[in-house]
Amino acid sequence: MTKRNTPARSNSRSAKPRKTTRKRPPARKKKPTKPSWLKRAFAFWFKWLLLLGCIALLPFMGWLWILDQEVTNRFEGQKWQVPSEVYSAPVVLKSGSRWTKKELEDLLNDAGYRFGKNSQEVGWAARSRTKVSANLRPYTNADGQHKGQRLIFSFPNGVLKIQSLTGAPVKTAYLEPQVIGYLYGGSSEQREILTYEQIPSTLIEILTATEDRNFFSHHGISLMGIARAAWVNVSYGSRVQGGSTLTQQLVKNMFLTSERTYTRKITEVFMSFLLEYHYSKQEILTAYMNEVYLAQLGSRELRGFAAASRYFFGRPLKELNISEYALLVGMVKGPSLYNPKRNTERAKERRNVVINLLVEQQKLEVTDARILKREPIRLSQTNKQRSMFGDYLDVVQMQLERDFDRSVLATENLKIYTGIDVRAQRAATSALRESAKRISKRDNALKQLQGAMVVTDRETGYVKAIVGSTQRVYTGFNRALGAVRPIGSLVKPPIYLSALASGRFTWWSRVEDKRQSINLGGNVWRPENYDRKEHGEVPLYMALAKSYNLATIDLVTKIGFSRVEQVLKDLGVKRPFRMVPSVALGAIELSPFEVARLYQPIASLGESSELGIVLAVLGQDGQVHKRFNRKGSVPFTASALAVAREGMVLVPKLGTAKAAQNVFPSLRFAAKTGTTNNQRDSWYVSITEDTVSTIWLGLDKNLPMSITGSSGAQKVWIDFAKRYSQNSLSDQLPKGATRATVLEDEFEIAADRCDNKITLAFITGTQPDEKRACIWMF
């Protein structure tokens, strides 16, 4: 047997025990614990709320995108509907012309010039007992830019004398065009747009100090501003400051309604953030200055500080002082409550609160503030734009609507330059109203006497003034356009022009002033003179001067009734009319404006045959959109027109316009009176070197009156000529016309020693050839 090898055992204690490896049992897996119900609920709601939040964020982001589009589109596009501005012509101040010191002072006042101790600043004037000095404003019109200048005006013997500060004579100066009104159309806002550079820095400082001290540092809203406003309001015991930033106020004014809801407030906050994100502080501030609501003017809102400055103070915004800026800024919190034209004392208190805030913020010295708070509120006179210029604006709009859409006129802030002379408009308005009042006092039946007046520049045809009513308040019915009435004897000068231009007649030619019957297809027409008398054989100049109807009818029968129709159309009558014999005595109905156009070619010797209302239209960029050409043509030579006009010069000397000549004995002018059947209409036309005036008086009910052209409309012109100085009509005749002194009873040139002679104008070649020496033996 084989022996097994087995390891020997050791009895030694030092021997190391042998390690044995025991196999550990596998670790027992822990049984997972279930989350508590709270954790499970949180996880559930968190997941769903996150999902719902993402879903809800989509419409919020869409809403925010819509707000962003609204903000940028409105801000970058046309922000406002700005009505077009209508400007007068610049007032021409010419050395040697007739002016009074009061006339110039009134014009400077109306233009918003401030009178003080000196006139060193633009827009300021000073006056002594005999002189006026003024720092005239620069201006821009359709002719370009014009510099301002500081001048001294004196009035020796009622004649204007202009000098520079050094004493050098100045021939001509200009007072800048004035805004006479706006063309609103459908717009309900009155506004004047400023750029940031045009905003006075003083106004910016006062506005931010009062409304938003942190404007240039916040991002749309100001928590510090809200806290400060609350503290100030508690300190003053009233709502002195608001918590809204200027950005929030702009958003509310430009984009939102005035409703007080949380939804609107939230929208306001987000829009403010968006506005601040997209645009600079300067852009936002400029928009605020142009948008802020400051007053309600009837159906229109007064928006922006520039328009408010014109309305309340009658001056450009840059010419106001600290006290006036404080007043306008104070109005922001309550435009109606602090309107100085309605609540002067309350507005003054609010102004002083603003001044106190400037002191507290160390932007104004205490002594200066004390002086400013004592200043009275000096407001411009009641707005006269519609009462004085309303009738003129009617004609402006009528002309422009032929070339521009009404919505364009009402929204695009066009600059419309007209020919209106502010001085002439004021004189015409006062003359018509005051004269009508005096005339009506003499006759109770004339209490409702109405009238109209049109004044044009004799040479250019530009309309200087239009008055459409004798009432002080603009009524909406412009009789200068709407009173279409028979013109009576005003038809005669065109008829005599036609006869003279034919070469067959001169002013010396004889016609029969006697009754005759004219058969009108079974009806017999028997015209009469105003005095119901016959005057026999009379020369043409006397027939016109005395306004003889029968003599005129005799002339018309010689030249033909068709010539009457033709000459009226040649001189510019566009209104359709039926030619009947009575038209030769004025049975044609025209408005005062149409009569003015009829006489313009005669007055200007053909230089202008249309009336100019609007001279040019400029866009916001200063570019000329349109220039209006008022010059037309008539089929008459300047010589024929001049000879006809010279015949009208004899009317004040010999005929129905003697009353005016008696008042102005040294004035050379042409005139014609007109009276219609039963004295229902009183007319007067006058031509001086500078103006053509057309006047009508009558009753709206077309009733007979106790006045004629001489005793009615002529008196209006006399009053006007006293208020608006007239220069004598030149006695120079154009080529093709001559003047000769002839015997009254023989067609011969009279020597100086002759009696019974008269000087008449002739178309060259129609004057007499033979001369009379008038030498008597005994």
Side-chain angles (χ1 to χ4, degrees), residues 759-775:
T759 301
L760 300 172
F762 295 88
I763 296 175
T764 303
T766 64
Q767 73 272 26
D769 295 326
E770 297 183 9
K771 296 182 180 180
R772 175 73 64 87
C774 296
I775 299 175

Side-chain angles (χ1 to χ4, degrees), residues 596-703:
R597 185 170 57 199
L598 173 67
Y599 272 85
Q600 190 62 39
I602 299 174
S604 67
L605 306 187
E607 286 296 314
S608 54
S609 59
E610 291 290 339
L611 302 188
I613 300 293
V614 175
L615 312 186
V617 178
L618 274 64
Q620 294 186 48
D621 55 2
Q623 296 299 311
V624 177
H625 283 16
K626 188 173 182 65
R627 287 187 186 272
F628 291 87
N629 180 18
R630 45 79 195 162
K631 189 170 183 177
S633 61
V634 291
F636 296 102
T637 63
S639 57
L641 293 165
V643 170
R645 192 180 71 183
E646 285 297 299
M648 292 179 63
V649 172
L650 296 175
V651 177
K653 297 180 182 298
L654 306 173
T656 56
K658 274 186 178 180
Q661 190 72 81
N662 291 339
V663 175
F664 306 104
S666 60
L667 184 67
R668 188 176 192 273
F669 63 103
K672 186 69 189 79
T673 60
T675 309
T676 59
N677 287 344
N678 298 317
Q679 298 176 197
R680 296 173 188 269
D681 303 279
S682 171
W683 289 94
Y684 186 83
V685 170
S686 178
I687 304 170
T688 64
E689 181 62 21
D690 303 314
T691 62
V692 184
S693 304
T694 303
I695 301 162
W696 167 82
L697 293 178
L699 298 172
D700 286 341
K701 293 182 179 180
N702 199 21
L703 298 173

Side-chain angles (χ1 to χ4, degrees), residues 218-261:
H218 65 62
H219 299 288
I221 65 171
S222 174
L223 298 178
M224 186 178 294
I226 295 172
R228 181 186 297 111
W231 173 256
V232 170
N233 292 339
V234 169
S235 301
Y236 276 89
S238 62
R239 190 172 182 270
V240 175
Q241 282 188 329
S244 295
T245 65
L246 291 179
T247 310
Q248 288 176 273
Q249 292 181 41
L250 176 61
V251 166
K252 182 174 65 176
N253 289 333
M254 185 176 282
F255 303 103
L256 305 174
T257 64
S258 58
E259 64 177 342
R260 294 175 178 270
T261 62

Side-chain angles (χ1 to χ4, degrees), residues 2 15 39 64 96 111 125 151 178 193 196 199 267-268 274 287 403 460 494-495 506 515 534 574 586:
T2 303
K39 288 183 177 180
L64 204 61
L151 299 170
Q178 296 183 37
I193 301 302
Y196 185 76
I199 303 172
T267 304
E268 176 189 303
L274 290 170
D403 300 276
T460 66
I495 292 173
T506 68
R515 294 183 181 90
E534 295 180 335
K574 296 178 174 62

Side-chain angles (χ1 to χ4, degrees), residues 57 82 119 218 318 336 373 439 498 524 526 571 622 667 704:
L57 191 62
V82 185
S119 54
H218 65 62
K318 63 183 178 182
S336 178
K373 288 192 289 186
I439 292 169
S498 182
V524 178
R526 296 184 178 88
L571 290 175
L667 184 67

